[in-house]
């Protein structure tokens, strides 16, 4: 029996629980490699577009998953730089992954 993640089963990322993982899945972010490619700010913007209720705690957790820092440390020590990057990030986030189901509404 294989335990390798499939496209419908995202990898577990450090510091992210099942709800955060479901939001990432809805945004088309299925693994650490994709999160690293996007970076925490762009990934957060994608998730926010699919799941408007996502809080800034998710941004801190995404940065923590990339840096190995606890999300509370990120919130305390990197809050300003991340918020400035979020404000300056003019890239339009991509839509939710095609065919994905929003964890908030249960619809596509």
């Amino acid at each position: 029996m294989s335990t390798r993640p499939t496209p419908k089963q995202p990898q577990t990322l450090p510091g992210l629980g099942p709800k955060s993982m479901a939001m990432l899945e809805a945004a088309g972010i299925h693994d650490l490699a994709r999160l690293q490619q996007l970076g925490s700010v762009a990934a957060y913007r994608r998730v926010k577009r699919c799941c408007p209720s996502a809080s800034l705690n998710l941004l801190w957790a995404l940065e923590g998953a990339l840096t190995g820092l606890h999300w509370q440390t990120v919130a305390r020590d990197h809050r300003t730089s991340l918020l400035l990057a979020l404000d300056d990030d003019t890239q339009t986030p991509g839509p939710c992954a095609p065919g994905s189901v929003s964890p908030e509404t249960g619809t596509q």
Side-chain angles (χ1 to χ4, degrees):
M1 178 178 208
S2 174
T3 59
R4 298 171 83 198
T6 64
K8 296 294 182 191
Q9 175 189 358
Q11 292 178 348
T12 301
L13 298 175
L16 297 171
K19 287 184 181 179
S20 297
M21 292 302 298
M23 287 190 249
L24 287 171
E25 179 77 11
I29 303 166
H30 307 291
D31 55 28
L32 182 58
R34 183 66 174 138
L35 178 58
Q36 289 170 327
Q37 182 183 30
L38 289 170
S40 60
V41 172
Y44 175 77
R45 288 174 63 86
R46 275 187 177 229
V47 169
K48 193 71 170 164
R49 183 176 179 132
C50 296
C51 308
S53 69
S55 73
L56 286 171
N57 286 341
L58 178 63
L59 176 58
W60 317 145
L62 293 173
E63 183 67 14
L66 292 174
T67 62
L69 296 172
H70 190 277
W71 72 268
Q72 290 174 329
T73 301
V74 172
R76 182 183 64 239
D77 297 345
H78 303 281
R79 173 185 217 98
T80 301
S81 63
L82 286 169
L83 289 174
L84 287 171
L86 186 60
D87 189 49
D88 289 344
D89 186 11
T90 58
Q91 291 182 330
T92 302
C96 294
S100 66
V101 176
S102 168
E104 294 180 345
T105 64
T107 60
Q108 289 187 345

